[in-house]
Amino acid sequence: MLNDLALKVVKHMAIILHTPEEIEKMRVAGRLASEVLDYISPFVVAGVTTNKLDQLCHDYIVNVQQAIPAPLNYAPDGHTPYPKSICTSINQQICHGVPSEKELKQGDVVNLDITVIKNGYHGDTSRMFMVGDVTPQAKRLCELTYQAMWRGIEKVKPGNTLGDIGYAIQSFAEKNGYSIVREFCGHGIGKKFHCEPQVLHYGKPGAGMTLKAGMIFTIEPMINAGRRDIKFMSDGWTVVTKDRSLSAQWEHTVLVTEEGFEIMTTSAGTPPRPVL
């Protein structure tokens, strides 16, 4: 996901239409990223520290997948290097939560955001996890955020626009009483971690760039139970809701095909496409 600083890095980059060979490499990277989430799922329980989750994922990526954890030491302009291999965003944390000795507890919801580099290409995905029994409100937020992401994905096809994606997500979230974080967005991805296009999770139908086959980008809405306002924590990375309300996020990397879309971040444990 991008913030205002990272957007400065990508705003002058050209849109990349990937070749069949590049697309196949992206399929591999995307599958590996998703398989990290499959692997770590049994460990996301009350009492585990987010540092432990980070170490497990790091070791799996490096030793088993023989890939590279893209977040580790990632440093866009204006940022200190990110110190961990994954992002772990708990409850009111919106994104970029830095793993620590904090233990998960019953009732927490946590987003695990994974990006791996394999053969020079990036795969980027995230899922929400519910720790034990969570409140009905937290469960509803997680479920509707997943549906919101998919409403955006289903607008992906040649001839549609980025505004169609954003509007589908925003209108659904706001209809259900939630707000969309606007300081961060989805992004093009491939050899680079972040590139054009910028994929806003709000917008107007028909507005923005027209989608073309061969484009690859992430769709990763951050949706708050309360207001959309954000606050940066002192570590320079972790972002929280200003009103301390819960936040949720899901993410897939998506290819624009000749007839529609292909999800590039799938594996055996990927949650199924919802019935909308």
Side-chain angles (χ1 to χ4, degrees):
M1 65 199 68
L2 301 181
N3 59 21
D4 291 338
L5 290 169
L7 291 179
K8 296 176 183 177
V9 176
V10 304
K11 70 177 182 178
H12 297 300
M13 294 179 181
I15 297 298
I16 297 171
L17 300 181
H18 293 81
T19 66
E21 293 77 17
E22 291 171 328
I23 289 169
E24 184 55 38
K25 290 179 179 179
M26 287 295 290
R27 287 192 183 103
V28 172
R31 174 178 54 79
L32 292 177
S34 188
E35 287 178 350
V36 177
L37 290 169
D38 294 354
Y39 163 75
I40 201 64
S41 294
F43 299 98
V44 185
V45 295
V48 71
T49 68
T50 50
N51 264 344
K52 180 65 174 178
L53 297 177
D54 175 75
Q55 187 62 56
L56 288 167
C57 289
H58 174 92
D59 292 348
Y60 186 78
I61 293 167
V62 172
N63 298 328
V64 177
Q65 298 182 333
Q66 297 185 349
I68 299 168
L72 185 60
N73 296 319
Y74 178 66
D77 289 349
H79 278 78
T80 57
Y82 188 78
K84 300 291 182 175
S85 294
I86 68 172
C87 297
T88 55
S89 302
I90 308 167
N91 295 334
Q92 75 275 8
Q93 294 177 348
I94 296 170
C95 61
H96 300 167
V98 179
S100 68
E101 286 304 302
K102 180 179 178 62
E103 294 182 356
L104 296 181
K105 63 182 186 301
Q106 290 285 338
D108 282 344
V109 293
V110 56
N111 176 272
L112 300 187
D113 193 346
I114 308 292
T115 307
V116 304
I117 306 170
K118 183 71 173 182
N119 297 323
Y121 288 81
H122 293 73
D124 191 3
T125 187
S126 80
R127 296 179 198 167
M128 292 300 298
F129 293 85
M130 292 179 278
V131 183
D133 293 326
V134 305
T135 66
Q137 294 84 359
K139 183 178 180 182
R140 179 175 184 267
L141 175 64
C142 292
E143 290 176 346
L144 291 186
T145 300
Y146 187 63
Q147 293 176 32
M149 175 189 68
W150 267 99
R151 286 177 182 270
I153 290 171
E154 291 192 345
K155 294 298 181 180
V156 176
K157 65 178 181 179
N160 276 4
T161 68
L162 292 175
D164 295 331
I165 297 171
Y167 177 77
I169 294 169
Q170 178 187 8
S171 59
F172 177 75
E174 292 180 349
K175 180 182 69 174
N176 283 282
Y178 298 138
S179 61
I180 297 287
V181 173
R182 300 194 178 201
E183 289 81 0
F184 298 89
C185 62
H187 53 88
I189 189 168
K191 286 185 177 180
K192 294 182 180 295
F193 195 166
H194 298 106
C195 57
E196 288 282 10
Q198 301 163 26
V199 184
L200 304 181
H201 303 116
Y202 60 94
K204 297 180 179 179
M209 182 182 297
T210 299
L211 305 182
K212 297 180 180 180
M215 294 170 63
I216 300 177
F217 48 78
T218 69
I219 297 178
E220 48 180 306
M222 288 136 277
I223 296 180
N224 297 345
R227 299 177 63 86
R228 69 176 182 87
D229 307 274
I230 71 169
K231 178 181 178 181
F232 278 89
M233 302 305 289
S234 59
D235 62 22
W237 282 100
T238 305
V239 181
V240 301
T241 55
K242 192 172 183 179
D243 63 6
R244 310 292 288 180
S245 62
L246 290 178
S247 187
Q249 179 190 22
W250 294 81
E251 176 182 13
H252 270 311
T253 297
V254 183
L255 165 69
V256 184
T257 67
E258 294 291 346
E259 297 181 350
F261 65 85
E262 177 186 335
I263 304 297
M264 313 210 80
T265 41
T266 61
S267 58
T270 301
R273 183 173 180 170
V275 178
L276 301 177

